[in-house]
Amino acid sequence: METSHSRIHGAFAHWTTFSYRYALWVLLVALLIAITSGIYISRNLGMNTDTTDMLSEQLPFRVNLKHYNKTFPQDIETLLIVLDAPTPEQVRLATERLAKQLNKDTENFYDVYSPRVDDFSARNGLLYQSIPELERITDSLAAAQPLITRITRDPTLAAFADVLTGAVEELSKGRNLELRPVLSGVNATLDARFNGSPSALSWQAMFNGESQKKKYQELIVIKPRLDYSQLFPAEQSIAALHAAAESVGVTEDGPVRLRITGEVALADEEFNSSLRGMEYAGIITFIMVGVVLFFAMRAGGLILNVLVCLIMGLLLTAAFATAVVGHLNVISIAFAVLYIGLGADFAIHFLLRYREVLESRLPPTDAIHISGGDAGAALTACTITNAIGFYAFIPTDYSGVAELGIISGTGMIISLLVTLTIGPALLRYLPKREPTKSVAKRSVGKVLEFSLRWHKLTYAATLAATVAALIILPQVRFDYNLLNMQDQRGVAVQAFRELLAEPDHSPWHIVVLADNLQETERLAQRLTELPEVNKVVTILDFVPTEQEEKFSLIKEMALTVGPISTATQVQMTNDVLAQQQKALNALAAALDRFAAEHPDHSAAVTARTLQSSLIALFAQLDRVGNDEKNKLLHAVEEDLLAMLPLALQSLRTATEAAPFGEEDLPVALSERWHSQTGEYRLAVYPVEDLNDNDALRRFVRAVQQVAPQAIGAPVVSLEAGEAVVQAFIQAFSLALIGVVVILWVLLRSIKYTLLVLLPLLLSSLFTAAFTILVNVPFNFANIIALPLLLGLGIDSSLHMVYRSMNNQLVSEILIHTSTARAIFYSALTALVDFASLMFSSHQGTASMGIMLTVGLAFTLICTLIILPALLQTPSKGAIQQ
């Protein structure tokens, strides 16, 4: 060890002396390299935002996913447009118009598909209803037929009120009429007008005998053209989508609300929040690192030295990434923030050692020689262990993080060379402050004396914490839900979660492929029998059963409704105004009589509520002049009757249904269930909420027992999560083995190797326990904390053990050296670096910041409190005051 140490010490002592002596040339060359690197990076560094490339293509689920994507290419990289409106008529019309407009834009969209809004669905929708439901709709239409006939002839508010008055009077006479949906719909429409948020009355809901819902929803599935050379590949397509929506009247202040979600939108939103978080983290980190450096250095020249070394190291590391990898991904982009904390560590150790030597009144050249040799030897060991921690990612299946490992591991080597080359050269020209004699005990050392003075308490507390952490360790869990990593305030995330709440149409379902119809039927039957499965949908479900009987009911329905034509609305005049008020007064009186005479009737409460709304309308009319009355009544008329023509058109189209077979299904529908290669698609929906990881696992494993080749979002989430966990277990194991071997080679002592490893292992254990106590589970982002903390933790404990061995220092003196102060301030620098990530809106990045901050805090405690107590010799257990 002595030979190895002396060689490294001598090499860096001469290297730093050379840099100091030829500082001008070194700085000029460094400046030229920095400028060249910056130009090279700006012209060549790419950005890969395709998250599907993050895991090895050899994994079984990736193989299945690749086959599925090839078989049904229209289902990958899609945008999901969610349209909401107060009535089914409004949302259907908006969906039709928007889909038609988007289909014209072949420059930005490959495919546009609206699952429930097309000519086929409009014409044959009634055939998908059950026979009892069709009978109920037929009865409702028969009861509403007089109303429909009268209103279509005279589509005015007065006529509508007259018809309702007649119906209420018939109800009072004992006729069996179901008026509650109509009365409640009119009441809700009036209330919406009074509350300042007008909403139209749905005639389609009335025709079906249903109460009007608060919201109706339709979807459009779009396959956009993506440009992965851009930072946001779907940016142009999404902009075109918004423009198309505006052109068909879907605006922010209109009744129809548009939201964009789906695979592509979620990826764009995730990357945007991640990038924004990194930008903020970088700014916060740079400021906070400067503050920490001020307290550590107390000299502007030394602080500037650290910052210059950081910038130079970042440029060279980015240039390396450009040359070797060629791009950054959504994970490797974190190297910049990580480097600031890790790179500052090297510079702080070197500069504080340099200042400590200067305090001995040695000339600067001798101080450079000594500090360069001492720091160089220790930093070399730290560089090797750090690089191993990062390089351990390379052989794993998580290729996204493997790229982070390549970049950051090499970044540590670059940081060592930059610190011991640029740092000494800058010391030649930066302002110098006359060194002062160090006081006996520094403030950091005074705080650390506690663990030595009460070393038995330190041992007991460490043992108790270790036992407690080991007891709860089996409860450590991994969150497979990728949605939980994103900014929960994002529009795409909120819209997607809303869709997940609809189990019958959840985007999170498993897909199974079958070779033929017979296998499709067999698999559907076996999957349906599983308790974890809610339903299975195949192409066979799009061919209704009992079509002849249903067709007979639809023909009867058409005869009941009869030919319908809508008249033109009349202009508002004083005579019309008087007629409307008279008709409304008559309706209010009829409702009052009915509620008074039949208080126990099922419709009495609804009648009384509508009467109250009409009284409120009358009061509002009495407070305004004729012009305002005309405007208000015209607005009410629009609210109540505007959807009538659309509902009638839909009704006419629906009664034109005819029996059909699988061969009659539209191509846009059939090609999503029966591929050109002949394979059939089965969609398997879960019973349980898949936001629960245990439910997700049960659902996926149950389906895989029947169909091992199953794929889909639930399978990808689970299998990718398990692949990531295995990759990090592999990385952690490789890193640990590599670090142990390197430590033994460098230290030549099992005892000191264990002393270096113990703080690291304890901090890792405590960090894992922390995730359980505060309910911050591991996920696809923050799991990188443990292997990173392996390299980071080794640094601190290795510096302490190295200084203790080579300078023959006991713990009481060791904690007052520049090494202890450098460890403290380096860790504090990294802490503010990692803590800044917690402010990211991207939950994955924020959780990574939490994990790294807590892990490093535990590392600092284990290194500066527990390790000195372990290094303390029994004969020197007391501190002399």
Side-chain angles (χ1 to χ4, degrees):
M1 180 206 153
E2 291 297 328
T3 303
S4 173
H5 173 265
S6 60
R7 286 177 180 173
I8 297 174
H9 185 284
F12 280 109
H14 287 94
W15 178 263
T16 51
T17 302
F18 175 85
S19 294
Y20 185 83
R21 185 171 299 164
Y22 298 100
L24 180 61
W25 289 106
V26 170
L27 294 176
L28 287 174
V29 171
L31 179 62
L32 181 62
I33 292 174
I35 293 172
T36 305
S37 297
I39 295 172
Y40 176 67
I41 294 166
S42 65
R43 293 180 178 177
N44 297 281
L45 182 61
M47 190 72 212
N48 181 15
T49 56
D50 190 353
T51 55
T52 59
D53 290 338
M54 293 291 175
L55 288 165
S56 170
E57 291 186 355
Q58 305 307 314
L59 292 170
F61 86 92
R62 285 294 310 274
V63 174
N64 292 336
L65 182 61
K66 185 177 181 180
H67 173 69
Y68 174 73
N69 291 343
K70 184 178 180 181
T71 306
F72 291 96
Q74 66 271 30
D75 286 344
I76 62 171
E77 296 179 334
T78 58
L79 289 170
L80 193 57
I81 312 308
V82 183
L83 293 159
D84 302 319
T87 69
E89 295 94 334
Q90 289 171 315
V91 73
R92 183 178 183 85
L93 180 63
T95 304
E96 285 178 347
R97 289 176 174 174
L98 181 57
K100 185 177 181 180
Q101 188 71 15
L102 293 173
N103 266 311
K104 297 176 183 177
D105 188 0
T106 56
E107 182 180 343
N108 290 298
F109 308 108
Y110 289 109
D111 182 64
V112 178
Y113 173 61
S114 48
R116 297 181 299 224
V117 180
D118 56 16
D119 291 340
F120 178 83
S121 301
R123 183 170 291 102
N124 298 291
L126 289 174
L127 288 172
Y128 290 101
Q129 302 288 348
S130 65
I131 290 178
E133 182 67 12
L134 278 176
E135 290 174 342
R136 187 190 64 79
I137 294 173
T138 303
D139 292 341
S140 296
L141 285 172
Q145 202 275 337
L147 171 65
I148 296 172
T149 303
R150 172 73 185 277
I151 296 301
T152 52
R153 291 175 182 170
D154 184 11
T156 62
L157 180 59
F160 182 49
D162 286 342
V163 172
L164 281 184
T165 301
V168 171
E169 290 173 347
E170 289 296 318
L171 197 62
S172 296
K173 294 176 183 177
R175 185 175 175 184
N176 185 21
L177 296 175
E178 180 54 80
L179 291 183
R180 281 178 299 175
V182 179
L183 299 180
S184 62
V186 174
N187 179 68
T189 303
L190 292 176
D191 284 348
R193 169 61 59 180
F194 298 152
N195 294 332
S197 54
S199 175
L201 175 67
S202 173
W203 285 79
Q204 182 176 320
M206 284 203 300
F207 291 165
N208 291 338
E210 302 170 346
S211 296
Q212 186 171 342
K213 303 175 186 177
K214 291 184 178 180
K215 180 180 69 175
Y216 292 85
Q217 190 175 86
E218 291 294 349
L219 305 176
I220 303 177
V221 182
I222 299 174
K223 187 174 177 61
R225 294 184 183 272
L226 303 178
D227 183 2
Y228 283 109
S229 65
Q230 299 298 315
L231 201 58
F232 297 97
E235 184 175 17
Q236 182 176 333
S237 297
I238 291 176
L241 196 159
H242 282 296
E246 189 172 348
S247 70
V248 297
V250 179
T251 57
E252 290 185 3
D253 56 350
V256 181
R257 180 175 62 152
L258 179 145
R259 289 171 296 165
I260 304 173
T261 186
E263 177 187 352
V264 172
L266 287 169
D268 260 30
E269 196 169 85
E270 178 178 26
F271 182 63
N272 185 38
S273 64
S274 177
L275 185 63
R276 188 171 62 249
M278 288 300 175
E279 290 173 350
Y280 295 153
I283 295 170
I284 295 171
T285 296
F286 219 82
I287 295 171
M288 294 303 296
V289 165
V291 173
V292 173
L293 291 177
F294 171 77
F295 286 103
M297 305 294 185
R298 302 284 183 175
L302 297 183
I303 295 173
L304 184 59
N305 194 315
V306 175
L307 296 178
V308 171
C309 288
L310 280 177
I311 294 171
M312 185 67 186
L314 274 173
L315 279 172
L316 292 179
T317 304
F320 169 81
T322 307
V324 176
V325 182
H327 60 261
L328 297 177
N329 59 56
V330 293
I331 293 179
S332 64
I333 194 175
F335 94 90
V337 175
L338 298 177
Y339 181 91
I340 293 174
L342 300 173
D345 175 62
F346 285 33
I348 290 172
H349 274 281
F350 167 65
L351 294 173
L352 285 185
R353 180 60 179 146
Y354 169 73
R355 192 169 71 176
E356 186 179 48
V357 176
L358 273 184
E359 290 172 355
S360 303
R361 301 295 177 180
L362 290 175
T365 51
D366 291 347
I368 286 289
H369 188 85
I370 294 170
S371 60
D374 289 348
L379 291 177
T380 298
C382 293
T383 298
I384 294 172
T385 53
N386 263 326
I388 287 174
F390 284 110
Y391 286 152
F393 291 113
I394 296 175
T396 68
D397 291 325
Y398 201 179
S399 56
V401 178
E403 292 176 4
L404 174 64
I406 294 171
I407 297 168
S408 298
T410 306
M412 295 301 94
I413 299 172
I414 291 172
S415 181
L416 173 69
L417 297 176
V418 167
T419 299
L420 298 179
T421 304
I422 308 298
L426 288 170
L427 288 173
R428 178 79 179 269
Y429 296 107
L430 290 176
K432 301 178 180 63
R433 195 174 69 175
E434 189 67 23
T436 57
K437 189 67 178 177
S438 174
V439 294
K441 295 182 179 181
R442 304 277 185 171
S443 57
V444 174
K446 289 181 179 179
V447 175
L448 298 179
E449 286 177 1
F450 177 84
S451 67
L452 299 181
R453 185 178 286 115
W454 301 93
H455 61 278
K456 291 184 179 179
L457 179 60
T458 302
Y459 297 154
T462 303
L463 181 61
T466 301
V467 172
L470 287 171
I471 290 173
I472 65 173
L473 191 62
Q475 300 177 40
V476 170
R477 63 189 180 90
F478 187 91
D479 186 0
Y480 299 100
N481 192 336
L482 290 167
L483 212 59
N484 291 338
M485 288 177 53
Q486 299 197 210
D487 182 359
Q488 300 304 301
R489 296 167 299 180
V491 175
V493 172
Q494 291 180 351
F496 199 81
R497 285 199 181 279
E498 186 179 303
L499 294 175
L500 290 179
E502 299 288 339
D504 287 342
H505 303 288
S506 172
W508 274 4
H509 58 264
I510 290 179
V511 174
V512 177
L513 298 184
D515 292 331
N516 50 59
L517 271 179
Q518 290 72 27
E519 186 182 1
T520 300
E521 291 176 330
R522 181 183 63 81
L523 283 172
Q525 182 178 355
R526 290 188 61 191
L527 290 168
T528 304
E529 293 170 355
L530 296 174
E532 294 84 1
V533 172
N534 177 31
K535 67 174 184 177
V536 180
V537 179
T538 71
I539 194 170
L540 300 174
D541 295 300
F542 293 93
V543 181
T545 57
E546 303 175 303
Q547 290 194 49
E548 291 300 332
E549 190 172 350
K550 291 177 182 178
F551 181 58
S552 298
L553 286 171
I554 293 172
K555 286 195 296 184
E556 180 184 339
M557 190 185 302
L559 291 173
T560 301
V561 174
I564 300 170
S565 60
T566 306
T568 306
Q569 288 185 323
V570 298
Q571 292 288 333
M572 182 69 72
T573 64
N574 288 335
D575 290 340
V576 173
L577 177 62
Q579 290 175 7
Q580 289 178 336
Q581 289 184 288
K582 180 181 178 181
L584 291 172
N585 283 322
L587 175 59
L591 290 168
D592 183 51
R593 286 194 303 272
F594 169 73
E597 295 172 3
H598 305 278
D600 297 328
H601 196 282
S602 60
V605 174
T606 309
R608 184 66 70 189
T609 304
L610 177 55
Q611 183 204 9
S612 298
S613 296
L614 288 172
I615 291 172
L617 174 62
F618 299 150
Q620 195 166 342
L621 289 170
D622 290 339
R623 291 195 294 268
V624 298
N626 282 343
D627 288 343
E628 291 300 320
K629 285 181 181 178
N630 284 335
K631 289 180 182 178
L632 178 56
L633 288 176
H634 179 70
V636 171
E637 185 176 74
E638 280 292 310
D639 292 343
L640 293 173
L641 301 175
M643 294 299 107
L644 178 60
L646 294 175
L648 291 173
Q649 177 60 46
S650 295
L651 181 60
R652 278 194 293 266
T653 304
T655 56
E656 296 172 0
F660 63 90
E662 182 188 334
E663 66 279 1
D664 300 313
L665 293 173
V667 175
L669 171 63
S670 64
E671 69 181 3
R672 282 170 166 77
W673 299 92
H674 185 194
S675 72
Q676 294 181 354
T677 59
E679 291 180 87
Y680 288 83
R681 174 173 171 261
L682 295 85
V684 188
Y685 291 84
V687 168
E688 297 179 277
D689 181 2
L690 296 190
N691 282 308
D692 180 352
N693 283 326
D694 292 333
L696 173 69
R697 181 183 295 276
R698 285 192 295 271
F699 177 54
V700 172
R701 295 304 181 222
V703 173
Q704 286 179 330
Q705 289 294 318
V706 176
Q709 79 282 9
I711 199 63
V715 177
V716 171
S717 293
L718 180 64
E719 297 291 358
E722 297 199 339
V724 168
V725 170
Q726 290 300 316
F728 278 98
I729 291 174
Q730 179 185 351
F732 192 85
S733 303
L734 289 173
L736 187 61
I737 293 170
V739 165
V740 170
V741 172
I742 292 298
L743 288 176
W744 186 83
V745 170
L746 291 173
L747 303 177
R748 300 287 183 175
S749 166
I750 295 177
K751 170 190 170 182
Y752 284 112
T753 297
L754 291 176
L755 284 172
V756 172
L757 289 174
L758 189 59
L760 167 71
L761 297 177
L762 286 175
S763 64
S764 298
L765 176 64
F766 295 156
T767 302
F770 172 83
T771 68
I772 302 166
L773 295 176
V774 297
N775 194 28
V776 180
F778 287 103
N779 57 43
F780 289 91
N782 67 28
I783 196 172
I784 72 172
L786 287 181
L788 288 178
L789 289 171
L790 174 65
L792 291 168
I794 287 292
D795 270 13
S796 301
S797 55
L798 184 56
H799 277 298
M800 291 289 282
V801 172
Y802 222 89
R803 187 73 184 270
S804 173
M805 291 175 61
N806 290 293
N807 296 86
Q808 299 299 311
L809 300 178
V810 294
S811 295
E812 292 87 337
I813 299 174
L814 182 60
I815 61 175
H816 293 290
T817 63
S818 65
T819 298
R821 295 195 302 277
I823 289 172
F824 175 78
Y825 285 113
S826 295
L828 193 58
T829 303
L831 270 173
V832 300
D833 173 34
F834 297 145
S836 66
L837 296 175
M838 294 191 296
F839 298 101
S840 172
S841 58
H842 185 265
Q843 297 302 300
T845 302
S847 68
M848 181 171 67
I850 293 172
M851 203 74 71
L852 287 169
T853 301
V854 172
L856 192 53
F858 281 129
T859 298
L860 193 60
I861 292 169
C862 293
T863 303
L864 293 182
I865 295 178
I866 298 174
L867 183 58
L870 295 174
L871 286 170
Q872 184 182 33
T873 58
S875 61
K876 298 177 181 178
I879 300 176
Q880 301 299 324
Q881 301 297 326

